[in-house]
Structure formats: structure tokens, C-alpha cells
Amino acid sequence: MDNKSLSHTRWKCQYHVVFIPKYRKKVLYGKLKVDVREILSILCRYKNVEIVAGAVCDDHVHLSVAIPPKISISDFMGYLKGKSTLMLYDRHPELQSKWDKAFWARGYYVETIGNITDEAVQKYIKEQAEDSRKEDSRGAAL
């Protein structure tokens, strides 16, 4: 990924983030998985955040994102998890009664991407997605 620019700034701020549904419930499959993917994409576009790679697994989400330096990672994650919860509850109101107001767990994992290559992170995320697909297919066979 090339450096991006704001009016007086050149930047490359890339992060690998992982977050989970509350209680690490394995609910991210089927229509909900598709909706989570779409909602996260929409919300990132609103904030001019580029999704370099991503995977929605049964019980967690991996994103490799390039976030402009004017947005802190904690502000972005609060926005992403908060707004996506509201949008998910609009599309799936039956979920709200299970976990009250929160869909996502409170915390998240984040690391800056600088000491490893973009390709290494994308490969890891791809492997996570493939593992999740294997689990989906095993579950469907039962």
C-alpha cells in the first residue's frame, strides 16, 4: 500500500484489529456474517478508512485497516463497534434481547503493522477465514 496524504501530511497508519461478539458467541455465520461484512465496509468508507484485508469468522472479526492519523484507533473502534451494533439490531432485531444493548465484547486486540509485511498479515487473515470456512462446512455436514 502506498502512502496516503491529507492536505499537509503523508501517512501510512495500518493496524491489524480483532474483536469478538459478546461472550464470544459463535453467531457470525449465514445472513448475519454477510451483513457484518457489509456494515463494516460501509462504516469504514464513511470514515475514509481502507480495509486492506478482512475476515468474519464464526466468533471473531479480523481487519487490516489503514486509518488516517487524524482518527485515533480507540475512537475508530468505538465508532465501528457502536454503529455496527445499531445497524445489526436494525437488520436483526431478534439479536437484541440476547445481549441487551451490546453485541460486541468491550475490548479488542490491535497491533500496528510496520515490523511485518502487509502480505504476512493478509496471509494470516486469509488463513483464519479458510479455517472458519472449514468449520462452517463441518457444522453443515452434522
Side-chain angles (χ1 to χ4, degrees):
M1 177 181 72
D2 293 336
N3 289 339
K4 308 265 188 220
S5 65
L6 297 169
S7 58
H8 300 284
T9 308
R10 301 277 304 156
W11 61 274
K12 182 180 178 181
C13 302
Q14 195 169 333
Y15 302 90
H16 173 213
V17 293
V18 182
F19 52 102
I20 62 173
K22 196 158 187 171
Y23 309 119
R24 195 142 188 167
K25 297 275 188 180
K26 294 186 179 205
V27 295
L28 301 176
Y29 57 87
K31 176 79 170 117
L32 186 60
K33 184 177 198 170
V34 172
D35 287 347
V36 166
R37 198 176 285 140
E38 180 185 343
I39 288 168
L40 295 179
S41 177
I42 290 168
L43 293 174
C44 286
R45 237 186 342 253
Y46 286 165
K47 292 286 187 179
N48 295 317
V49 170
E50 177 189 357
I51 299 175
V52 178
V56 178
C57 303
D58 286 349
D59 62 350
H60 64 286
V61 176
H62 285 272
L63 289 176
S64 174
V65 289
I67 301 175
K70 64 183 179 178
I71 304 173
S72 76
I73 185 66
S74 63
D75 286 347
F76 173 71
M77 289 305 296
Y79 157 81
L80 189 67
K81 290 167 57 176
K83 294 294 184 192
S84 66
T85 295
L86 296 174
M87 293 171 79
L88 283 169
Y89 287 165
D90 280 347
R91 294 182 186 195
H92 302 273
E94 72 279 3
L95 294 175
Q96 192 164 5
S97 62
K98 292 182 182 176
W99 297 296
D100 300 320
K101 297 202 182 280
F103 179 79
W104 302 110
R106 286 179 49 187
Y108 57 91
Y109 169 80
V110 62
E111 70 178 330
T112 56
I113 301 174
N115 59 345
I116 58 173
T117 64
D118 293 346
E119 292 80 23
V121 173
Q122 290 176 26
K123 180 179 178 237
Y124 174 74
I125 291 173
K126 183 179 175 190
E127 289 169 358
Q128 288 289 306
E130 287 171 2
D131 288 348
S132 180
R133 276 193 286 280
K134 288 176 188 172
E135 288 179 20
D136 283 349
S137 65
R138 277 191 292 244
L142 297 176

